[in-house]
Amino acid sequence: MPSRLTPTTGARSSASDTTPAFAPMPEFSARLIAWQRQHGRHDLPWQNTRDPYRIWLSEIMLQQTQVSTVIPYYAKFLARFPDVAALAAAPSDDVMALWAGLGYYTRARNLHRCAQVVVEQHGGAFPASVDQLAELPGIGRSTAAAIASFAFGARATILDGNVKRVLARVFGVEGFPGEKKVENAMWTLAESLLPSNASNAELSGYTQGLMDLGATLCVRGKPHCSRCPFAPDCVANVTGRQRELPTARPKKTVPTRRTWMLLLRDGNAVMLERRPPSGIWGGLWSLPEAADEASLAERARAFGGDGEVSALASFSHVFTHFKLDIEPRLAEFDRGVGALAALNDADTAWVALSDLDSFGVPAPVRKLLASLHGSLL
DNA sequence: TAGACGTGGGT
DNA sequence: TACCCAAGTCT
């Protein structure tokens, strides 16, 4: 029986609800499972295991982050924290230091908290249900489904960027998927596509297939439709609208902020300051900042310097939602290495440039310090 | 609910 | 170069 792939507009009960309902494709899951078995990815570092800890760790790292970026971090974490108990027992600063450079640092704080909750409230074993998983810090609806599916063979759908792209194209879902209304429609569609009578292994393969199809064939730029199992039925392929689906995010001009950073140096050591727990780079160690040149000089004096600062090359760092112009200023300090440690407190640390790896430092700040380290050698 | 929240890779 | 955005969650 050929399936209907066009939107059945106006099929909803409410007349004011203009969201099109999409007819399910009965053989969608079977086709996807078969494709995944033969053409999907089977050798990623977090595959070929049912260990919820390893699966959970990978899923958190993979949130908004590409596979190639995650791989080295995943290896580092697993080597240092082989199980959830080891992670739960670690000092927060160690977790942040290991996460530094991966971005979205709330994930690291939630990762640590989640490990502690699993140990203290679940006896060290991750819960098997989607609902219980979704109650844990840092685990939302999609990640809960991924963990439950991979670790326990649960019947639950993910809805990540891959799935949104696949659904938008195959079923012709219009509208920016970041918009709540569109996302809700996609959740409903994704739920309707889940296989009804599948084994645990098939359900894991189905979930992996959704990700693999989006990541390897149904890619953003130029999808490889000739190899896709859904090509004959895909709305985007049939109508040549691969470039228009999914609907792009509305353009917005990103504002620019400016900050002055104090590079207080004493010999081979620099002073780091702990950032507040929330906001950009929350909980990381960075350079002391000020909103203008004069305030920075004032801070340098407060730390015991003579107020003389020299300009280093300015640079900018682009975030998703704003651009940050950074004005680094160098101030020399001369107390001698032995006296520096006595100046440290919970939020201040004099650190040897060679020891930066043991602190969680934002990527652009790390680069700035690395260039200084290089120039001192 | 829309905005905050990083970084690096692809085009 | 500049722009887009990736295995999303939280508030």
Side-chain angles (χ1 to χ4, degrees), chain A residues 71-268:
Chain A
I71 287 175
Y73 285 88
Y74 181 75
K76 277 196 304 181
F77 264 76
L78 222 45
R80 179 87 72 88
F81 311 120
D83 52 49
V84 69
L87 178 55
S92 176
D93 276 342
D94 287 8
V95 178
M96 298 309 290
L98 221 53
W99 194 277
L102 198 51
Y104 284 145
Y105 298 99
T106 300
R107 291 186 296 171
R109 292 212 165 290
N110 284 334
L111 184 87
H112 196 209
R113 281 205 296 139
C114 182
Q116 292 171 338
V117 170
V118 167
V119 166
E120 291 163 12
Q121 298 178 24
H122 297 274
F126 279 84
S129 82
V130 177
D131 289 344
Q132 280 185 293
L133 284 166
E135 287 176 16
L136 295 168
I139 302 181
R141 183 174 175 182
S142 185
T143 299
I147 297 169
S149 170
F150 292 142
F152 307 111
R155 183 179 184 276
T157 191
I158 58 168
L159 187 63
D160 60 14
N162 288 312
V163 184
K164 287 174 178 173
R165 192 165 53 253
V166 168
L167 296 185
R169 284 177 173 158
V170 173
F171 295 93
V173 182
E174 306 283 348
F176 172 52
E179 192 182 332
K180 198 64 185 173
K181 185 181 73 176
V182 178
E183 187 177 354
N184 286 341
M186 286 188 164
W187 272 113
T188 302
L189 176 58
E191 297 278 6
S192 76
L193 294 169
L194 279 166
S196 315
N197 302 298
S199 66
N200 287 0
E202 286 171 329
L203 284 160
S204 299
Y206 174 81
T207 301
Q208 189 64 50
L210 284 175
M211 294 173 169
D212 290 351
L213 193 70
T216 66
L217 290 189
C218 198
V219 293
R220 183 163 66 95
K222 190 178 166 66
H224 308 109
C225 302
S226 62
R227 286 185 272 150
C228 179
F230 301 109
D233 307 305
C234 175
V235 169
N237 181 51
V238 168
T239 63
R241 298 182 62 216
Q242 292 96 330
R243 220 164 47 94
E244 286 89 45
L245 292 170
T247 305
R249 170 190 304 276
K251 287 187 205 300
K252 269 180 300 186
T253 56
V254 297
T256 299
R257 303 180 196 170
R258 196 176 185 195
T259 188
W260 276 256
M261 286 189 177
L262 178 60
L263 215 164
L264 204 50
R265 181 166 74 90
D266 189 321
N268 199 30

